[in-house]
Amino acid sequence: KAGVTQTPRYLIKTRGQQVTLSCSPISGHRSVSWYQQTPGQGLQFLFEYFSETQRNKGNFPGRFSGRQFSNSRSEMNVSTLELGDSALYLCASSLGGANPTDTQYFGPGTRLTVL
Amino acid sequence: AQSVTQLGSHVSVSEGALVLLRCNYSSSVPPYLFWYVQYPNQGLQLLLKYTSAATLVKGINGFEAEFKKSETSFHLTKPSAHMSDAAEYFCAANAGGTSYGKLTFGQGTILTVHP
């Protein structure tokens, strides 16, 4: 079974621009979660989508948004980029039931650099 | 709010020595706990998870962890370190309830293995 894929793997943008990152979950998985990883703040939860609906959201400004399509693929968008948005963005997929022990399988991440 | 603390941002051991990585959680209700490993330029891989079925959990690559409610701990151990164990390790928790797809991570512990 193919793993979680994320595209692109690397991205360089300038301040003020916007960016869209893509995540394709493992086949059969209906939940996609997004995380931001930085050296200073560590791994922080952005949001989670299940069946095209956002079920949970972390403490990030409204510039960070996401969506999920009917095939469970997900995108996240960051508008008006700031230098502090430079990070590794990880997505994770899971079956998506209400089981809190559901394993999340992570993709390799998208490395975003904002200049 | 759920929080996870990993004691020691860096741990160094000799090959063949015991590995002990510490994780404590903060919650009035014991959460569901996970250990993940991250190799350079890769996503996170699940090592093991606590599902309340047993307090001693065995995972992949010879790792295990013991859930101790009285100490609010879930420390990760491996009897004999191998060079390939060098990586960054993260303890994570899901609070259950409506915490769909949300993992709260510790700050991570970088494990160095010396020959």
Side-chain angles (χ1 to χ4, degrees), chain A residues 9-10 31 33 35 37 39-43 45 48 55-56 88 90 97-98 100-104 106-108 111, chain B residues 32 34 36 38 41-46 49-51 88 90 94-103 105-107:
Chain A
R9 290 294 310 277
Y10 301 91
S31 169
S33 297
Y35 296 87
Q37 185 177 23
Q41 299 299 315
L43 279 153
F45 172 77
E48 186 258 5
R55 287 194 301 187
N56 213 344
L88 180 67
L90 294 163
T101 65
D102 202 10
T103 297
Q104 291 189 23
F106 284 78
R111 173 77 61 186
Chain B
Y32 301 90
F34 305 78
Y36 280 89
Q38 185 177 34
N41 299 315
Q42 294 187 28
L44 279 71
Q45 179 184 10
L46 181 72
K49 62 182 178 182
Y50 170 67
T51 62
E88 189 163 16
F90 293 92
N94 182 295
T98 58
S99 298
Y100 303 115
K102 178 181 179 180
L103 291 176
F105 285 89
Q107 284 299 102

Side-chain angles (χ1 to χ4, degrees), chain A residues 3-7 22-27 32 34 72-74 91 93:
Chain A
V4 178
T5 59
Q6 291 187 245
T7 57
S22 180
C23 173
S24 292
I26 292 171
S27 178
V32 173
W34 288 90
S72 295
R73 190 177 70 85
S74 178
C91 83
S93 77

Side-chain angles (χ1 to χ4, degrees), chain B residues 57-72:
Chain B
V57 182
K58 294 188 184 300
I60 62 172
N61 301 339
F63 284 95
E64 62 181 38
E66 186 172 8
F67 175 74
K68 292 186 176 181
K69 184 177 177 181
S70 61
E71 298 177 7
T72 61

